[in-house]
Amino acid sequence: GEYVVATTKVGYLFAHWNEDGSKFVEGTSSKVLFIGYYDEESEWWVSRAIKHHKASVMTARIDPTSLFVISGSVDNKIYITSCYIPLVDDERLEQSVLQNAQEFGTVIYKYDADAWILNTKWAFGGEYAYATSYMSDIVVIDYKNQSENVIHCEHSPVMFIESISETSFIAVCYDREIFIYECDEDGKWEIKKDIVNNTNDEQVSESKCIGNKEEENAPGKGVAEELKKFQTSALKNRSSLVVTTKKNKVGHQAKISSVNVINVNDDEKEIITTDLAGFVKVWSV
């Protein structure tokens, strides 16, 4: 059947279901984050509000245990908040990386990224959380240990981020570049592969990523510069959007609209990307 969750009149900007479809989160233009779940007693879908952000909530995702939600806003803030619902989530508590259940709405972690937040994602297992900003930063959050690792990138802002494992993820950039990042034994995150150009870490230029938070003076390209670069590229390639057979047209020629990771087997994954011109591409990892 169909259910309508009654809330205040707001603009919904983002929605995401948890892994088993028992809860969902919605980001709104009214600064509010809604957590929806099915109430057995009333036999109806209901929602509870989280009100930490000071501006529109652009992205939010529930973690694999369904006990926490990460959210990002145009107020430049990233929050990891408890979305634990008594009775509904009691069976999930043993999966939590924290020792005790946190009351609904409790802030587990907060970070100011100094730029609008574009996307958020949880790593497999929920040990880490990722967030990307308009200043071409990727924030890797270890909320159990209350720490973060900020990757200052010189490529364009990351629009989509997808976890491959606990220590690697896919970063899809505004200018249609696609990179694989991995964490080494020293805890440093670096580009290991440029998928579009089919180059590994030894071939990728060092200027692609300039390291972690310790490099405080590491420059990041401004948003205006990146948007101008993308617009120039898009205009140049507009007349050839439908051409996919030429060898020099490996990557997308229009803005990438979605990315998904598919498990082929234990050792191989495929990345499926789509663009606004209607093309679908499959990349082997």
Side-chain angles (χ1 to χ4, degrees):
E2 296 182 357
Y3 296 87
V4 177
V5 182
T7 59
T8 55
K9 293 182 178 180
V10 294
Y12 293 101
L13 304 176
F14 191 91
H16 177 254
W17 284 91
N18 67 345
E19 291 185 352
D20 64 8
S22 61
K23 296 169 74 174
F24 62 87
V25 58
E26 291 181 322
T28 73
S29 60
S30 64
K31 316 172 190 177
V32 181
L33 197 67
F34 288 105
I35 303 295
Y37 62 97
Y38 188 77
D39 183 74
E40 295 287 349
E41 185 176 341
S42 63
E43 297 184 344
W44 199 258
W45 286 88
V46 297
S47 66
R48 296 184 64 177
I50 295 174
K51 302 179 180 180
H52 299 314
H53 288 288
K54 304 301 181 184
S56 298
V57 181
M58 304 300 294
T59 173
R61 295 181 186 273
I62 298 174
D63 84 317
T65 68
S66 295
L67 297 175
F68 306 102
V69 59
I70 182 172
S71 58
S73 166
V74 295
D75 64 4
N76 304 343
K77 301 296 191 299
I78 302 167
Y79 283 96
I80 294 180
T81 310
S82 171
C83 59
Y84 164 69
I85 307 292
L87 301 180
V88 175
D89 291 324
D90 287 348
E91 294 182 357
R92 308 179 194 271
L93 294 181
E94 60 184 25
Q95 305 174 43
S96 174
V97 297
L98 301 182
Q99 294 182 348
N100 302 306
Q102 304 291 318
E103 182 181 356
F104 182 91
T106 300
V107 176
I108 307 299
Y109 199 78
K110 178 184 176 181
Y111 181 77
D112 188 344
D114 295 324
W116 287 10
I117 307 304
L118 290 171
N119 209 337
T120 53
K121 191 70 178 182
W122 292 93
F124 286 132
E127 291 289 336
Y128 297 97
Y130 308 116
T132 68
S133 81
Y134 265 118
M135 289 303 293
S136 294
D137 285 346
I138 303 173
V139 185
V140 183
I141 300 172
D142 180 354
Y143 64 103
K144 181 180 180 181
N145 296 313
Q146 293 290 294
S147 64
E148 74 281 334
N149 192 346
V150 182
I151 308 169
H152 301 290
C153 307
E154 285 210 342
H155 54 63
S156 64
V158 175
M159 303 299 293
F160 299 99
I161 191 166
E162 288 289 336
S163 179
I164 302 177
S165 69
E166 282 291 350
T167 56
S168 61
F169 60 83
I170 297 289
V172 179
C173 305
Y174 193 87
D175 57 5
R176 309 182 301 280
E177 291 180 300
I178 305 175
F179 300 109
I180 293 180
Y181 278 83
E182 289 185 2
C183 184
D184 61 22
E185 295 179 353
D186 297 325
K188 186 175 182 179
W189 292 83
E190 294 182 322
I191 294 174
K192 291 299 180 181
K193 188 175 181 64
D194 179 343
I195 294 180
V196 175
N197 296 312
N198 196 29
T199 55
N200 57 29
D201 58 335
E202 295 179 353
Q203 297 169 305
V204 174
S205 169
E206 292 182 358
S207 65
K208 288 293 184 181
C209 176
I210 52 180
N212 301 312
K213 190 175 182 179
E214 291 79 7
E215 302 177 56
E216 295 181 355
N217 296 322
K221 288 188 177 179
V223 179
E225 181 182 347
E226 291 300 336
L227 295 182
K228 182 178 180 180
K229 173 184 174 182
F230 176 80
Q231 184 182 37
T232 302
S233 175
L235 291 173
K236 181 179 179 181
N237 292 297
R238 179 177 294 173
S239 61
S240 59
L241 290 182
V242 297
V243 180
T244 60
T245 56
K246 293 184 178 180
K247 291 184 179 180
N248 63 338
K249 300 297 181 182
V250 176
H252 286 282
Q253 301 303 300
K255 183 178 179 181
I256 294 176
S257 56
S258 72
V259 56
N260 289 280
V261 177
I262 306 297
N263 292 322
V264 178
N265 53 52
D266 293 338
D267 300 321
E268 183 182 0
K269 298 179 187 296
E270 289 184 343
I271 303 167
I272 301 176
T273 54
T274 63
D275 64 32
L276 296 182
F279 292 103
V280 178
K281 293 182 180 290
V282 179
W283 315 82
S284 295
V285 179

